[in-house]
Amino acid sequence: MVIIGVLAGTAIPVYIGMGPSIRLSGATRQIMGDLMWARMRAISENNDYVITFGSAGPDLSNNTYTIYDDNDGDFDSAGVETSELVKSVVIPDTYKQTGYGYVPGIKKTDNVTPLTGDPVTFSSGGVSKPIWFKFYPTGRSNISGTIYIITDKDLANNYKGRMRAISVLSFTGRIKIWHYDQAIVEWK
């Protein structure tokens, strides 16, 4: 009994300490998986799939993203059509205290340009639409951008070591996960 008590006494704090990393990795993998799924659906169905982030304005504070099957190809002009909604995700519902964000003073995933502005960097959107991009039937996206993700605790404490990013390249449609290496002060 003593041995079991000692093992539990050391294992439980370690597991609790790993919670933020586990949640952050899970959220990052879910977003990447959903983006890959939308890209594959665009290719297989031979039509556009649109991914939106947050709400109009743009407002990312609700930490959501939504996937639309743009069958009629009119998202650029008509915007969000509820009949085309495929999936809507609120990140903190599954991964508590995790969402869009980054610690100020870091660089973008290119490790050169300072990161400023929204933690979702696709430059589409505007006042009347949320931030968005789309995958074409070729698998390419209409625009490149990056989604930066962090835990609430790390954001409050300016801790950079667990931050994650997911980038989408427009020319190829490639989706890549990045992690911030605090020891060498760059994205890898």
Side-chain angles (χ1 to χ4, degrees), residues 2-153:
V2 172
I3 294 172
I4 292 172
V6 169
L7 290 174
T10 57
I12 290 172
V14 168
Y15 180 74
I16 290 171
M18 290 176 53
S21 291
I22 292 168
R23 287 192 304 273
L24 190 58
S25 292
T28 304
R29 290 181 197 283
Q30 179 177 347
I31 295 167
M32 181 180 184
D34 286 344
L35 295 180
M36 291 173 66
W37 177 84
R39 181 175 184 252
M40 303 249 304
R41 298 302 302 169
I43 294 167
S44 67
E45 293 178 12
N46 198 32
N47 65 288
D48 298 343
Y49 265 69
V50 176
I51 297 88
T52 66
F53 301 91
S55 57
D59 179 12
L60 297 169
S61 63
N62 60 5
N63 292 301
T64 62
Y65 63 93
T66 308
I67 301 172
Y68 295 92
D69 179 357
D70 191 20
N71 285 320
D72 52 13
D74 68 347
F75 185 84
D76 293 354
S77 58
V80 172
E81 296 176 77
T82 55
S83 63
E84 296 177 340
L85 175 67
V86 176
K87 182 176 188 175
S88 188
V89 176
V90 179
I91 299 167
D93 283 357
T94 305
Y95 303 99
K96 303 289 182 212
Q97 300 152 357
T98 302
Y100 304 128
Y102 58 87
V103 174
I106 65 166
K107 293 184 168 83
K108 294 182 179 181
T109 54
D110 66 6
N111 292 313
V112 175
T113 312
L115 180 57
T116 59
D118 289 325
V120 179
T121 67
F122 298 93
S123 62
S124 54
V127 177
S128 63
K129 290 184 182 177
I131 296 172
W132 64 277
F133 77 97
K134 65 180 160 185
F135 286 113
Y136 295 117
T138 60
R140 295 176 58 191
S141 68
N142 67 318
I143 193 168
S144 295
T146 304
I147 306 155
Y148 294 90
I149 306 167
I150 194 168
T151 65
D152 296 347
K153 182 179 179 181

Side-chain angles (χ1 to χ4, degrees), residues 102-106 150-163 180 182:
Y102 58 87
V103 174
I106 65 166
I150 194 168
T151 65
D152 296 347
K153 182 179 179 181
D154 291 347
L155 186 59
N157 294 322
N158 285 330
Y159 179 67
K160 303 173 185 174
R162 277 190 286 256
M163 287 188 304
Y180 193 80
Q182 190 163 333

